């Protein structure tokens, strides 16, 4: 069996665990895999993707800040990618790119099957309205969450995501200034992309100071990122007394397994690689 060529595109990308995850999946399934990380900005992404395809690339993951840009480069997209307005998985078919989005299913599977979080009817706050938020919002709704509130540094983007979801009365856009009076949530998800400083209100940080009134005794707080970039939000969640504090490693592994199946026709087991990542890198663990 010849070795296939795959990659993850993003900026920055040197921190990515995806090459390690897919190498593990390849060993587990006996499928030869060559998986690399390629740094690309929104401006250089189209050229980099074209060069990747010319060099034999047959599939790719796409991470921040390229998920919405990837949608525009696809000849065809799945229904869930179309609903999300963002693509995180590319498959080369007939000389063209076909796009899908496995972020939302990856998040829901990690929360429900691994972390033991029942998302049904949970009043949910989504912080951010970029590609990551677009990827997970439809899947959360399909999984049965209750009301969904979306806040974003640029309010027009939050309004656009609410309009795209098309569920008036159930999905709402709010200003950051509203958070002090909006009550507590059962599920708080940080989908912002920039590195943060605790307590920062600088627009460049991506995350303002959050009131602890958002968190109740049964609240699950989730950061879609992992590693150092997730530390400020997770620290805030613990200080606020959240019941569950969860980073994005589990979601990353689950969405990668879904992508692997799209490329190779088999979905690998995920618990082994999830445990290996936790043990080897001493990444942030979930707090009960």
């Amino acid at each position: 069996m010849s070795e296939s060529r795959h990659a993850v595109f993003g900026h920055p990308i040197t921190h990515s665990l995806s090459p390690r995850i897919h190498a593990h999946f390849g060993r587990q399934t006996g499928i030869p895999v060559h998986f690399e990380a390629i740094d690309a900005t929104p401006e250089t992404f189209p050229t980099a993707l074209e060069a990747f395809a010319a060099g034999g690339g047959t599939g790719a993951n796409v991470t921040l800040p390229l998920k919405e840009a990837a949608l525009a480069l696809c000849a065809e997209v799945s229904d869930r990618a179309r609903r999300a307005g963002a693509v995180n998985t590319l498959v080369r078919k007939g000389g063209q790119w076909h796009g899908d989005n496995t972020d939302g299913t990856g998040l829901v599977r990690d929360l429900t099957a691994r972390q033991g979080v029942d998302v049904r009817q949970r009043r949910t706050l989504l912080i951010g309205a970029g590609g990551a938020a677009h990827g997970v919002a439809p899947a959360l709704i399909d999984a049965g969450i209750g009301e969904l509130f979306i806040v974003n540094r640029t309010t027009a983007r939050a309004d656009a995501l609410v309009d795209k979801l098309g569920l008036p009365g159930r999905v709402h856009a709010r200003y950051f200034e509203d958070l002090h009076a909006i009550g507590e949530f059962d599920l708080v998800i940080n989908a912002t992309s920039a590195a943060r400083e605790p307590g920062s209100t600088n627009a460049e940080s991506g995350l303002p100071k959050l009131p602890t009134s958002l968190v109740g005794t049964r609240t699950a707080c989730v950061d879609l990122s992992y590693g150092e970039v997730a530390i400020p939000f997770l620290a805030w969640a613990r200080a606020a007394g959240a019941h569950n504090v969860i980073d994005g490693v589990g979601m990353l592994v689950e969405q990668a397994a879904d992508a692997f199946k799209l490329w190779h026709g088999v979905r690998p087991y995920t618990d082994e690689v999830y445990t290996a990542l936790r043990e080897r890198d001493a990444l942030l663990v979930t707090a009960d």
Side-chain angles (χ1 to χ4, degrees):
M1 185 183 299
S2 61
E3 186 177 69
S4 58
R5 186 184 179 203
H6 295 82
V8 57
F9 288 83
H11 180 76
I13 201 62
T14 55
H15 69 287
S16 178
L17 296 175
S18 292
R20 185 180 301 173
I21 291 170
H22 283 279
H24 184 102
F25 288 163
R27 291 191 298 270
Q28 180 194 120
T29 59
I31 296 173
V33 171
H34 172 79
F35 197 101
E36 59 194 295
I38 300 175
D39 193 290
T41 66
E43 293 74 26
T44 63
F45 179 46
T47 301
L49 186 62
E50 183 178 350
F52 174 69
T58 57
N61 281 144
V62 181
T63 188
L64 299 172
L66 306 175
K67 295 182 180 183
E68 292 168 282
L71 184 75
L73 299 177
C74 293
E76 182 180 316
V77 296
S78 67
D79 288 342
R80 58 188 177 184
R82 186 175 295 105
R83 287 179 67 198
V87 162
N88 84 323
T89 304
L90 294 166
V91 183
R92 194 74 172 168
K93 296 179 182 178
Q96 296 178 313
W97 288 112
H98 294 244
D100 204 339
N101 196 307
T102 63
D103 279 339
T105 54
L107 173 63
V108 171
R109 185 177 289 110
D110 179 56
L111 291 180
T112 57
R114 177 175 291 112
Q115 311 295 349
V117 176
D118 186 351
V119 302
R120 292 173 297 179
Q121 296 304 310
R122 288 207 170 201
R123 188 172 190 255
T124 301
L125 175 65
L126 182 60
I127 305 169
H134 278 255
V136 301
L140 288 167
I141 290 170
D142 291 347
I145 63 168
E147 284 187 289
L148 174 63
F149 292 77
I150 302 171
V151 295
N152 189 63
R153 184 182 63 197
T154 305
T155 55
R157 296 204 73 180
D159 291 336
L161 179 52
V162 169
D163 291 344
K164 186 176 184 63
L165 293 170
L167 295 169
R170 185 179 175 193
V171 181
H172 320 272
R174 290 290 186 270
Y175 296 101
F176 275 117
E177 294 77 9
D178 297 333
L179 293 180
H180 292 275
I182 205 171
E184 69 180 47
F185 289 85
D186 304 307
L187 182 60
V188 179
I189 299 174
N190 181 30
T192 58
S193 59
R196 276 96 58 184
E197 295 292 335
S200 173
T201 57
N202 188 316
E204 294 301 319
S205 71
L207 187 74
K209 184 177 176 64
L210 299 172
T212 57
S213 58
L214 299 173
V215 177
T217 56
R218 66 186 295 268
T219 303
C221 290
V222 183
D223 198 310
L224 301 189
S225 299
Y226 57 88
E228 290 185 4
V229 72
I231 290 174
F233 176 79
L234 300 181
W236 168 83
R238 291 191 180 96
H243 185 270
N244 302 87
V245 181
I246 303 164
D247 72 0
V249 171
M251 170 185 167
L252 176 70
V253 171
E254 296 300 331
Q255 67 81 23
D258 287 342
F260 192 93
K261 182 177 180 180
L262 288 171
W263 298 329
H264 304 292
V266 58
R267 191 180 196 278
Y269 296 109
T270 56
D271 285 346
E272 188 177 83
V273 67
Y274 176 81
T275 300
L277 291 175
R278 290 298 187 196
E279 292 176 347
R280 181 178 299 183
D281 295 291
L283 294 168
L284 298 173
V285 297
T286 300
D288 292 332

